[in-house]
Amino acid sequence: MANEGDEKQRQLDQYRISLENTRLTTDQGVRVDDTDNSLRAGERGPTLLEDFHFREKIMRFDHERIPERVVHARGAGAYGRFQVYDGSLAEHTVADFLCDPSLVTPVFVRFSTVAGSRGSADTVRDARGFATKFYTRQGNYDLVGNNMPVFFIQDAVKFPDFVHSVKPEPHNEIPQAQSAHDTLWDFVQLQPESLHMMMWLMSDRAIPRSFRMMQGFGVHTFRLVNAQGRGTFVKFHWRPTLGTHSLVWDEVLRIQGNDPDFNRRDLWEAIERGAYPEWELGLQLVPEADEHKFDFDLLDATKLIPEEEVPLRMVGKLTLDRNPENFFAETEQVAFCTANIVPGIDFSNDPLLQGRNFSYLDTQLIRLGGPNFPQIPINRPVAPVHNDQRDGYHQHMIHQSHTSYSPNSISGGCPMPAIMSGQWDGVFQHYQERVDGKKIRKRSPSFADHYSQATLFWNSMSSWEKRHIVAAFRFELGHVERRAIKEKVVAHLVQIDRELAAQVAEGLGLRVPAASVANHGKYSPALSQANSPSDSIATRKIAILASDATEAGQLAPVREVLEGQGAICEVLAPHEGTVGTLTADRQLTAASSVLYDAVLLADGGALAASAHAVHFVREAFKHGKAICAVKDGRTLLDAAGLPSTEGVIGSDTAGETLAQRFVQAIAVHRHYGRDIDGVVA
Ligand code: HDD
């Protein structure tokens, strides 16, 4: 099996430095005597300028930071591989990583939030970046997508406006990593093209349980191009094999304090454990002849193609199987660009995509300090690189050629373009699209409908998803100070759906204006997370609440079933070390229920008197989590005063063991029908 992954690995290995058994040196390789005391004139005297080790060490420290990304500053990355399934796509594309099932293409994926700075919390309401660099034999291909299939704006020229509006406000730099503030909603009310994406942003998609449990989308319509030069429009989708699952809002707010690294830690730990995250690549293919068959424009990035109209064809699998060794060198220095495409893939005229093609290259120049950033190990292609581009900051290559121009005779015309060599195999050739038009600053009327797909999204939601969307609008607009902005947003919502607008308006104490558009009633089941697979408990984290009174024997049958199905159990007890016949992983008071997916109560009474334990269980209940009590654990359940309802398991039933019932309750993910203290999960 051809494995380009080995090639990328070998390439990266050349740059890895182990410090094991080494001696301290300066950057010039001179061995250092002492790095704790600067050179001074006498023990109590001034420091001497000639202390080159001191100056170098401080100079390097002073220059450690590079500018963070303007957007998507906070992220986490991992290496992996992509392999296309049997059933070649050669009919549609010459991209060999999409055609040859024997090829294992190495990848690096970086997930991110959009609005926050590098140090912000992971679990904020935001879109998530899902950027994949494929190191293909034909060059690097970057699919720079998000976990939502549409975008806020239609034209890249609006990107600075949108980003400025969502970022902290300019006068006081508040709030960090939040969309709940005046400037964003002011932008939204004036740019109704953002409404469809705002529906996604107010939905649970914006608070994923895990990067491993979220979908990814290329967003734009791209083009596949085959050997005959025929184009086919394509939308790219990533589908997680673990299903698409989210946190609940109240939980999100608490995780931010308990573990601001929640999502990146989850990714890291899963890979370390060998539970490799996987996504299937799905394509929606549209023949060029069908370009105008839809009631929206394929070039409009605020629209999706409903899967019921163009089904997804699952074509391959992405697996992430290795963590980076150095965050800065790999995850921070990786540079994506939508213009990094390979033969067989091409752009469409989507004005958002066209603008991105400029922005990504441009931003790396300032972020990574010059034009040689493609030579940084994480960015290097496995495909050979030969050209006459030269010099610039941090040039790593020592080009031996006597020429750096083309054509030349001195170097035999090399490196030679295909037009001169006549060797066209594997050469990138732009899709020959006929273009004809006047130079105008104008959008096509086919981009004008900003409500229909927002309505489609709303209509496709289950009742609990709708509840969460309404609550999100109320929360966000509740943080907006200017009443006129709230009123304008509600006036837009009424065009999406009257009931949605009415429920949001009620929370804000506003009147609902009359709608000029009636709900079209169409829906797309594929858009609802309620229809996502919920049949596995693999990698779910289960808190086992135990004490010295807990008997391991009582617990074992349930724990074995959970761990046998890939769940991760952690024992929480009043103290670390040995508790009864168990080993505690963590002190209960140092843990929080929001960091777990389910709770197993295994204590015979001592914990029932602990306010922390009772709060732990009640909070897990409030967040819709499965709770199971083995034998005496029931006392804690009773102390928490929880009703006997879905997902709360205290005994076997006819035909089903406690463990089986608990597994099913965890696999459901969350029991959204519960209501505690008046707050529905
Ligand atoms: Fe962007 C980063 C995704 C529109 C300009 N973008 C960035 C990243 C992702 C996206 C995932 C982080 C990549 C990484 O991990 O390093 N961006 C999107 C999607 C968009 C989109 C899915 C719409 C469909 N972006 C967009 C527009 C522009 C930019 C319209 C500018 C005109 N994006 C950038 C950027 C960033 C970036 C400023 C910041 C850091 C970087 O590129 O490398 O150039």
Side-chain angles (χ1 to χ4, degrees), residues 188-444:
V188 169
Q189 60 103 354
L190 293 166
Q191 291 289 146
E193 70 199 56
S194 60
L195 286 171
H196 184 196
M197 180 66 164
M198 290 310 288
M199 292 296 290
W200 284 80
L201 195 71
M202 294 302 108
S203 81
D204 289 357
R205 301 280 183 147
I207 45 174
R209 157 64 181 85
S210 161
F211 294 138
R212 304 176 293 119
M213 298 172 197
M214 64 182 202
Q215 297 177 356
F217 302 88
V219 181
H220 310 281
T221 302
F222 291 87
R223 234 186 208 108
L224 295 180
V225 185
N226 74 2
Q228 289 73 47
R230 181 169 56 80
T232 305
F233 288 119
V234 62
K235 292 260 193 197
F236 293 101
H237 298 244
W238 292 118
R239 282 289 146 93
T241 53
L242 291 174
T244 310
H245 303 293
S246 293
L247 299 163
V248 297
W249 178 243
D250 182 66
E251 187 184 18
V252 158
L253 298 174
R254 286 159 220 281
I255 293 176
Q256 286 170 24
N258 275 289
D259 185 4
D261 303 298
F262 184 77
N263 287 144
R264 61 162 64 169
R265 189 189 306 284
D266 167 274
L267 177 69
W268 179 275
E269 288 182 349
I271 293 175
E272 288 301 294
R273 229 179 248 125
Y276 299 139
E278 288 179 335
W279 289 261
E280 282 194 291
L281 180 67
L283 304 184
Q284 284 180 299
L285 296 165
V286 178
E288 294 222 326
D290 293 351
E291 179 175 2
H292 302 293
K293 273 199 177 162
F294 302 91
D295 58 4
F296 56 89
D297 198 318
L298 283 183
L299 304 184
D300 175 357
T302 66
K303 305 296 185 299
L304 53 83
I305 309 180
E307 281 176 45
E308 292 73 20
E309 285 185 48
V310 180
L312 238 59
R313 173 167 163 192
M314 305 318 279
V315 300
K317 188 171 273 185
L318 166 72
T319 309
L320 297 182
D321 55 11
R322 194 160 54 85
N323 279 316
E325 286 182 63
N326 183 286
F327 183 88
F328 180 83
E330 295 159 289
T331 309
E332 192 60 14
Q333 291 201 110
V334 68
F336 294 94
C337 180
T338 49
N340 291 348
I341 53 173
V342 291
I345 301 178
D346 213 324
F347 313 118
S348 69
N349 294 334
D350 174 343
L352 196 72
L353 174 60
Q354 297 277 325
R356 292 180 74 192
N357 287 342
F358 164 74
S359 180
Y360 290 72
L361 187 60
D362 187 48
T363 204
Q364 311 307 353
L365 293 177
I366 179 86
R367 197 170 73 79
L368 297 169
N372 286 310
F373 64 85
Q375 294 181 12
I376 296 172
I378 188 69
N379 296 323
R380 283 185 183 215
V382 293
V385 175
H386 303 296
N387 58 44
D388 291 320
Q389 275 125 230
R390 288 289 183 275
D391 308 345
Y393 287 110
H394 319 304
Q395 172 59 260
H396 280 53
M397 297 297 155
I398 304 176
H399 291 106
Q400 294 173 315
S401 169
H402 286 210
T403 60
S404 52
Y405 56 89
S406 178
N408 69 66
S409 66
I410 295 173
S411 304
C414 293
M416 210 178 273
I419 193 97
M420 287 167 77
S421 68
Q423 292 168 348
W424 290 93
D425 192 35
V427 169
F428 185 90
Q429 288 182 278
H430 288 273
Y431 175 73
Q432 295 191 6
E433 183 180 7
R434 185 175 190 92
V435 179
D436 178 28
K438 290 189 178 140
K439 287 191 232 172
I440 42 170
R441 288 193 189 276
K442 201 167 173 228
R443 273 184 223 178
S444 162

Side-chain angles (χ1 to χ4, degrees), residues 584-636:
D585 297 294
R586 215 177 275 265
Q587 288 172 67
L588 181 56
T589 45
S592 167
S593 81
V594 294
L595 305 179
Y596 298 91
D597 293 294
V599 189
L600 181 57
L601 310 178
D603 166 65
L607 292 182
S610 152
H612 189 86
V614 168
H615 172 73
F616 195 104
V617 180
R618 284 179 62 83
E619 192 178 53
F621 180 82
K622 177 176 178 172
H623 297 148
K625 294 172 184 175
I627 301 171
C628 176
V630 282
K631 302 256 161 76
D632 306 343
R634 200 62 246 177
T635 27
L636 181 50

Side-chain angles (χ1 to χ4, degrees), residues 19 78 93 107 120 162 227 289 300 304 326 330 444 480 484 526 540 544 583:
L19 295 181
T93 179
V107 302
S120 54
F162 161 67
D300 175 357
L304 53 83
N326 183 286
E330 295 159 289
S444 162
V480 169
R540 294 315 181 108
I544 299 178
T583 305

Side-chain angles (χ1 to χ4, degrees), residues 68-76 108-114 128-132 143-160 162-163 197 217-220 301 331-338 350-364 367-368:
E68 65 174 35
R69 289 166 173 83
V70 189
V71 281
H72 298 264
R74 180 166 178 85
F108 186 79
V109 175
R110 184 173 178 275
F111 301 106
S112 47
T113 50
V114 180
R128 298 298 184 286
F130 191 140
T132 308
L143 183 56
V144 196
N146 277 346
N147 74 331
M148 299 176 187
V150 290
F151 202 62
F152 299 94
I153 47 171
Q154 296 173 321
D155 188 319
V157 74
K158 298 287 322 148
F159 193 64
F162 161 67
V163 173
M197 180 66 164
F217 302 88
V219 181
H220 310 281
T331 309
E332 192 60 14
Q333 291 201 110
V334 68
F336 294 94
C337 180
T338 49
D350 174 343
L352 196 72
L353 174 60
Q354 297 277 325
R356 292 180 74 192
N357 287 342
F358 164 74
S359 180
Y360 290 72
L361 187 60
D362 187 48
T363 204
Q364 311 307 353
R367 197 170 73 79
L368 297 169

Side-chain angles (χ1 to χ4, degrees), residues 521-655:
K522 292 184 204 150
Y523 62 97
S524 163
L527 299 179
S528 169
Q529 280 183 261
N531 298 327
S532 164
S534 301
D535 50 7
S536 161
I537 65 162
T539 75
R540 294 315 181 108
K541 283 184 90 171
I542 321 295
I544 299 178
L545 268 49
S547 73
D548 289 302
T550 303
E551 286 178 31
Q554 291 190 341
L555 194 61
V558 182
R559 188 172 181 172
E560 275 165 22
V561 171
L562 296 175
E563 291 181 337
Q565 299 199 23
I568 299 140
C569 294
E570 279 185 8
V571 176
L572 311 181
H575 57 85
E576 289 180 29
T578 307
V579 279
T581 48
L582 287 168
T583 305
D585 297 294
R586 215 177 275 265
Q587 288 172 67
L588 181 56
T589 45
S592 167
S593 81
V594 294
L595 305 179
Y596 298 91
D597 293 294
V599 189
L600 181 57
L601 310 178
D603 166 65
L607 292 182
S610 152
H612 189 86
V614 168
H615 172 73
F616 195 104
V617 180
R618 284 179 62 83
E619 192 178 53
F621 180 82
K622 177 176 178 172
H623 297 148
K625 294 172 184 175
I627 301 171
C628 176
V630 282
K631 302 256 161 76
D632 306 343
R634 200 62 246 177
T635 27
L636 181 50
L637 206 55
D638 294 340
L642 300 183
S644 178
T645 179
E646 51 162 336
V648 180
I649 295 140
S651 59
D652 296 346
T653 51

